[in-house]
């Protein structure tokens, strides 16, 4: 038989082309990955910068959010959620130092930010806790049905926070505070029931954090308020209970409560 020489170029021409294309595709993928990675890092830096410097602007944050959606990056989404959370905190804190008309507007803006934060990260219990607190603060500036509606919404947010994190002692403590505030706007059996619910919240806060001195202090305040609407032995018993709570407070935090 005659031996025929193989034309190496002809035989491997197709293979070489495929290898070259594969290498080119890999190079492109690496470039796209590096580009995407650097884009994510830049977005993270922008978000962190906004949070640190409190430079919240609707147009800027909206633009960042659109870019975040283009990336399937969990860390980036968590940062964006924290941005909205901190923005809500900032608006709520500013609201407390403004006149009544501005206060309502600013608190409502804060609530919008907390809502955005929890849509992005549904288990952000801190957002529900602070949302409840600022709803309670706004409720204190209102009267009648308006106040009652806001207090009810605040209690719903605290309930959400605790569903996510059952040992959320801050939510229990703050819930107790605003139950007490709500109770002061009522009278008779309704007020007593609200005070009793507040005591239960303080008890839960201390159960999860035994050195929660704020809860003991607030519990004492509520006991004094309830004593004010009672008389005789009942009032005396409540006053003694209040003293015990204050004693607990000073044992835990003697430098702050004397």
């Amino acid at each position: 038989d005659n031996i025929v020489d193989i034309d190496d170029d002809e035989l491997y021409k197709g293979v070489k082309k495929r290898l070259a294309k594969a290498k080119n595709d890999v190079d492109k993928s690496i470039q796209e990955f590096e580009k995407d990675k650097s884009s994510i890092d830049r977005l993270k830096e922008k978000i962190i910068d906004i949070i640190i410097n409190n430079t919240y602007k609707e147009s800027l944050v909206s633009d960042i959010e659109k870019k975040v959606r283009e990336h399937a990056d969990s860390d980036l989404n968590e940062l964006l959620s924290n941005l909205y959370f901190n923005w809500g905190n900032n608006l709520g804190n500013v609201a407390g130092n403004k006149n009544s008309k501005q206060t309502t507007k600013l608190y409502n803006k804060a609530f919008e930010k907390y809502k955005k934060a929890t849509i992005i990260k549904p288990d952000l219990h801190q957002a529900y806790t602070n949302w409840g607190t600022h709803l309670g603060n706004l409720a204190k500036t209102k009267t009648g049905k308006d106040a009652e509606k806001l207090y009810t919404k605040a209690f719903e947010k605290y309930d959400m926070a605790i569903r996510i994190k059952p040992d959320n002692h801050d939510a229990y403590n703050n819930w107790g505070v605003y139950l007490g505030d709500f109770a002061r706007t009522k009278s008779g059996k309704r007020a007593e029931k609200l005070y009793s619910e507040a005591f239960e919240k303080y008890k839960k806060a201390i159960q999860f954090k035994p050195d929660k001195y704020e809860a003991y202090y607030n519990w004492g305040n509520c006991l004094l308020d309830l004593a004010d609407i009672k008389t005789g032995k009942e009032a005396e018993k409540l006053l003694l209970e209040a003293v015990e709570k204050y004693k607990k407070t000073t044992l835990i935090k003697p430098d702050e409560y004397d």
Side-chain angles (χ1 to χ4, degrees), residues 119-206:
I119 288 172
I120 298 167
K121 194 173 188 295
D123 63 347
L124 191 62
H125 61 89
Q126 300 95 328
Y128 284 112
T129 300
N130 290 8
W131 193 348
T133 297
H134 286 309
L135 278 163
N137 288 335
L138 181 57
K140 288 169 70 175
T141 71
K142 307 293 182 181
T143 57
K145 293 290 183 184
D146 289 338
E148 188 161 342
K149 187 178 177 182
L150 287 163
Y151 278 124
T152 301
K153 283 184 178 180
F155 304 153
E156 288 170 359
K157 301 309 174 193
Y158 289 134
D159 185 61
M160 280 296 297
I162 288 160
R163 284 174 187 270
I164 296 166
K165 192 175 189 294
D167 63 348
N168 189 334
H169 52 83
D170 285 326
Y172 276 118
N173 178 62
N174 294 354
W175 194 347
V177 169
Y178 291 106
L179 279 164
D181 288 337
F182 189 25
R184 292 181 194 100
T185 70
K186 302 298 177 181
S187 60
K189 294 294 182 184
R190 183 73 194 281
E192 289 180 38
K193 184 175 183 296
L194 288 166
Y195 279 125
S196 179
E197 288 176 11
F199 302 154
E200 287 301 315
K201 304 308 176 193
Y202 294 134
K203 188 176 180 180
K204 291 291 283 186
I206 291 161

Side-chain angles (χ1 to χ4, degrees), residues 14-28:
V15 175
K16 286 177 179 178
K17 280 184 179 179
R18 287 197 295 273
L19 284 171
K21 185 178 183 301
K23 182 179 182 300
N24 188 52
D25 289 344
V26 169
D27 288 342
K28 281 184 178 179

Side-chain angles (χ1 to χ4, degrees), residues 23-249:
K23 182 179 182 300
N24 188 52
D25 289 344
V26 169
D27 288 342
K28 281 184 178 179
S29 295
I30 291 170
Q31 287 171 9
E32 286 298 320
F33 174 78
E34 291 298 332
K35 182 181 175 184
D36 190 58
K37 184 181 176 184
S38 63
S39 176
I40 289 171
D41 288 341
R42 285 196 299 273
L43 278 171
K44 288 179 179 178
E45 286 172 6
K46 281 184 180 179
I47 292 171
I48 292 168
D49 184 70
I50 290 169
I51 294 171
I52 291 172
N53 297 300
N54 289 327
T55 51
Y56 303 103
K57 291 180 182 177
E58 292 287 351
S59 58
L60 176 61
V61 176
S62 178
D63 183 58
I64 286 173
E65 185 173 354
K66 285 177 186 175
K67 290 175 181 175
V68 168
R69 287 175 184 167
E70 295 171 5
H71 304 281
D73 188 275
S74 58
D75 290 339
L76 197 54
N77 273 293
E78 186 163 347
L79 264 178
L80 182 64
S81 176
N82 283 326
L83 184 152
Y84 278 113
F85 168 61
N86 282 283
W87 196 354
N89 293 342
N90 184 270
L91 285 163
N93 292 335
V94 172
N97 299 316
K98 298 293 182 181
N99 62 46
S100 57
K101 191 174 181 180
Q102 287 180 306
T103 292
T104 300
K105 186 177 178 181
L106 286 165
Y107 274 131
N108 284 330
K109 282 187 177 181
F111 305 152
E112 289 172 8
K113 306 313 172 193
Y114 289 134
K115 185 176 181 180
K116 289 282 287 187
T118 53
I119 288 172
I120 298 167
K121 194 173 188 295
D123 63 347
L124 191 62
H125 61 89
Q126 300 95 328
Y128 284 112
T129 300
N130 290 8
W131 193 348
T133 297
H134 286 309
L135 278 163
N137 288 335
L138 181 57
K140 288 169 70 175
T141 71
K142 307 293 182 181
T143 57
K145 293 290 183 184
D146 289 338
E148 188 161 342
K149 187 178 177 182
L150 287 163
Y151 278 124
T152 301
K153 283 184 178 180
F155 304 153
E156 288 170 359
K157 301 309 174 193
Y158 289 134
D159 185 61
M160 280 296 297
I162 288 160
R163 284 174 187 270
I164 296 166
K165 192 175 189 294
D167 63 348
N168 189 334
H169 52 83
D170 285 326
Y172 276 118
N173 178 62
N174 294 354
W175 194 347
V177 169
Y178 291 106
L179 279 164
D181 288 337
F182 189 25
R184 292 181 194 100
T185 70
K186 302 298 177 181
S187 60
K189 294 294 182 184
R190 183 73 194 281
E192 289 180 38
K193 184 175 183 296
L194 288 166
Y195 279 125
S196 179
E197 288 176 11
F199 302 154
E200 287 301 315
K201 304 308 176 193
Y202 294 134
K203 188 176 180 180
K204 291 291 283 186
I206 291 161
Q207 176 187 324
F208 292 116
K209 194 172 190 296
D211 63 347
K212 187 79 174 173
Y213 62 90
E214 303 97 328
Y216 280 114
Y217 181 76
N218 293 330
W219 195 346
N221 289 343
C222 276
L223 283 162
L224 283 183
D225 290 332
L226 181 56
D228 284 341
I229 62 174
K230 295 290 185 178
T231 56
K233 293 284 186 183
E234 204 170 0
E236 187 177 335
K237 182 174 180 290
L238 289 164
L239 287 170
L240 289 172
E241 287 181 21
V243 169
E244 285 304 310
K245 303 307 176 194
Y246 290 138
K247 281 182 179 178
K248 285 276 191 180
T249 306

